[in-house]
Amino acid sequence: MEITKQVKSLESTSLNKLFAKFSFLVLCLRGYFSGILGDTLIITLFLNFIIALSINYRSVRKSFFIFASLSILTVYNRDVLALIDILAIIYCLRGCKISFLFRINACVLFFYVLTWFILLGLGFLRDQLMIMPKGIAHCMGYENSNQFGMLSFYIVSSLFLITSKKWRIASLLLIPLVNETFFNLSIARTPWIGCYVLLLVSILSYTNIIRRSFRFFIGLLPVFIFIALVYLAIHISQYPELDLVFTTRFSNYANLLSNFSVINWIIGFPQRNGIIIDSSYFMILCSGGAACVVYFWWKYFDAIVNRWEALYQYLPFIISMLAIGIGENIFSSANALSLIFWFLIFNYKQSYK
């Protein structure tokens, strides 16, 4: 009888893992195709149904109660759903090989780019021009040029993650070519900077300039960035040129903070209030309050400091995600690269007892 129970438990766990992997596939499809599809509500509902099937309710761990308790906030703030999906999927994927996530992401991205090219060539997607102070930008079938520009970072990051160590240096040579091509069309500065941050950190890590003693500083990077963002948002009137460079993002952040009440710091600030939030750091704050921000800081610091050797080869990707997060909702939204980023921090080379 006991053996039968164990066999059923193993079968149930295997089925949960299968659903968890399928949920990541659906997440990748939704994330990449959302740029040209627009409304993805049906896919989101289907994704959350698959996530629910991925959880082994017979044996839950402490981290289960983190995203389970966050679900209560959806009554007040639907924006927290992205964090819930991220935490739930990485919870279900614990123990999964990171190479699986890299391959699925790369395959879906390749399929998407091919589909996008075909639709663009056949005229189903039309290029539109955006006239802005920084120049004339192409949208190439997207709603705005920034979404199109982010495609360069998706391609560069996915190429970096999928290639083995011996070929990774060669793949880095393609970064300037891909990056400049997309930037000349989209004039999207945030992904352009993110790609070159990835390249720079890769060079510094391959030449061993970034050493183990740097892990505490790198572990505190999200804290430093968040403090700097809050300071600049509060004092942005003293730095008008900076606000212009960041396309009035800091003015939006200042407007956001001025509308914050004590309760908003605790349970978040719904985006339906009409304030545009183009920052992963502020988006996490608005989604789940200060507690979610601190939780992210703690898990990130713990991962960098205690699993430095395991994460060292992925530092270029991790730091570039932090850099893009300053001006885009890259790791605060539920997408393929975001989930890989959180998986590296929460699960990669993590021991489970």
Side-chain angles (χ1 to χ4, degrees):
M1 183 64 72
E2 185 65 29
I3 294 177
T4 305
K5 288 182 178 179
Q6 291 179 358
V7 171
K8 288 183 178 180
S9 177
L10 288 174
E11 290 177 348
S12 176
T13 302
S14 299
L15 191 60
N16 293 137
K17 291 294 184 184
L18 185 62
F19 278 122
K21 292 179 178 180
F22 182 60
S23 69
F24 178 67
L25 173 62
V26 175
L27 181 76
C28 292
L29 290 168
R30 186 193 67 170
Y32 289 124
F33 280 88
S34 63
I36 57 177
L37 287 178
D39 187 12
T40 57
L41 177 60
I42 301 299
I43 302 176
T44 300
L45 293 174
F46 178 67
L47 172 63
N48 282 273
F49 174 71
I50 299 300
I51 293 173
L53 295 177
S54 305
I55 301 172
N56 184 358
Y57 298 98
R58 295 181 178 180
S59 176
V60 296
R61 300 173 183 269
K62 290 185 294 184
S63 52
F64 167 82
F65 298 100
I66 298 294
F67 64 85
S69 59
L70 278 177
S71 62
I72 301 173
L73 284 179
T74 56
V75 178
Y76 163 75
N77 187 359
R78 295 178 183 176
D79 295 333
V80 75
L81 186 60
L83 286 179
I84 294 172
D85 285 347
I86 292 171
L87 294 174
I89 295 177
I90 62 174
Y91 170 83
C92 297
L93 283 174
R94 64 190 186 280
C96 177
K97 292 184 178 180
I98 192 70
S99 57
F100 167 80
L101 303 184
F102 294 164
R103 289 196 298 269
I104 293 298
N105 168 62
C107 289
V108 173
L109 178 59
F110 176 79
F111 173 68
Y112 166 72
V113 171
L114 182 63
T115 305
W116 170 67
F117 263 122
I118 294 174
L119 293 176
L120 201 60
L122 295 176
F124 290 101
L125 295 176
R126 296 182 179 275
D127 182 26
Q128 292 181 340
L129 298 179
M130 292 182 64
I131 301 176
M132 299 176 287
K134 59 182 179 181
I136 300 175
H138 293 260
C139 295
M140 303 298 285
Y142 286 84
E143 290 185 0
N144 59 68
S145 59
N146 285 337
Q147 286 181 308
F148 166 57
M150 281 299 297
L151 190 56
S152 66
F153 183 74
Y154 296 150
I155 294 173
V156 165
S157 297
S158 300
L159 184 64
F160 171 83
L161 294 172
I162 199 67
T163 51
S164 60
K165 289 183 179 179
K166 62 180 180 180
W167 293 105
R168 191 168 288 168
I169 296 178
S171 68
L172 294 176
L173 299 176
L174 295 175
I175 290 181
L177 176 63
V178 174
N179 204 22
E180 292 301 325
T181 300
F182 277 88
F183 178 73
N184 289 333
L185 291 171
S186 67
I187 322 182
R189 288 177 290 210
T190 303
W192 180 79
I193 292 173
C195 288
Y196 281 125
V197 167
L198 191 149
L199 178 61
L200 175 62
V201 178
S202 297
I203 295 172
L204 295 177
S205 60
Y206 291 154
T207 54
N208 291 322
I209 294 177
I210 299 179
R211 300 182 179 274
R212 193 172 189 275
S213 57
F214 291 16
R215 68 189 189 281
F216 292 101
F217 172 76
I218 295 176
L220 289 171
L221 265 181
V223 182
F224 295 147
I225 293 174
F226 184 78
I227 293 174
L229 288 176
V230 172
Y231 172 82
L232 290 172
I234 295 174
H235 301 89
I236 194 57
S237 60
Q238 302 176 20
Y239 310 99
E241 297 84 3
L242 184 65
D243 194 34
L244 184 62
V245 169
F246 281 86
T247 326
T248 68
R249 280 180 171 86
F250 283 104
S251 295
N252 290 330
Y253 304 157
N255 187 23
L256 171 70
L257 294 176
S258 66
N259 283 275
F260 256 56
S261 64
V262 175
I263 193 68
N264 292 134
W265 286 97
I266 299 174
I267 60 176
F269 188 84
Q271 202 172 9
R272 59 179 177 268
N273 285 279
I275 300 175
I276 300 174
I277 308 170
D278 286 325
S279 169
S280 294
Y281 301 91
F282 283 116
M283 195 62 206
I284 292 178
L285 175 64
C286 292
S287 298
C292 283
V293 175
V294 174
Y295 180 65
F296 168 68
W297 289 349
W298 169 56
K299 295 296 291 186
Y300 177 86
F301 180 82
D302 178 71
I304 295 297
V305 171
N306 295 318
R307 285 182 279 125
W308 173 259
E309 285 74 18
L311 294 174
Y312 186 80
Q313 63 176 313
Y314 302 117
L315 277 183
F317 168 70
I318 293 173
I319 296 177
S320 64
M321 287 286 284
L322 293 179
I324 285 195
I326 295 174
E328 292 291 344
N329 295 326
I330 183 69
F331 62 81
S332 58
S333 59
N335 57 69
L337 291 184
S338 173
L339 195 124
I340 291 174
F341 172 78
W342 286 76
F343 185 91
L344 286 169
I345 293 170
F346 279 68
N347 289 356
Y348 186 63
K349 298 295 183 179
Q350 183 72 277
S351 61
Y352 294 98
K353 299 183 181 178

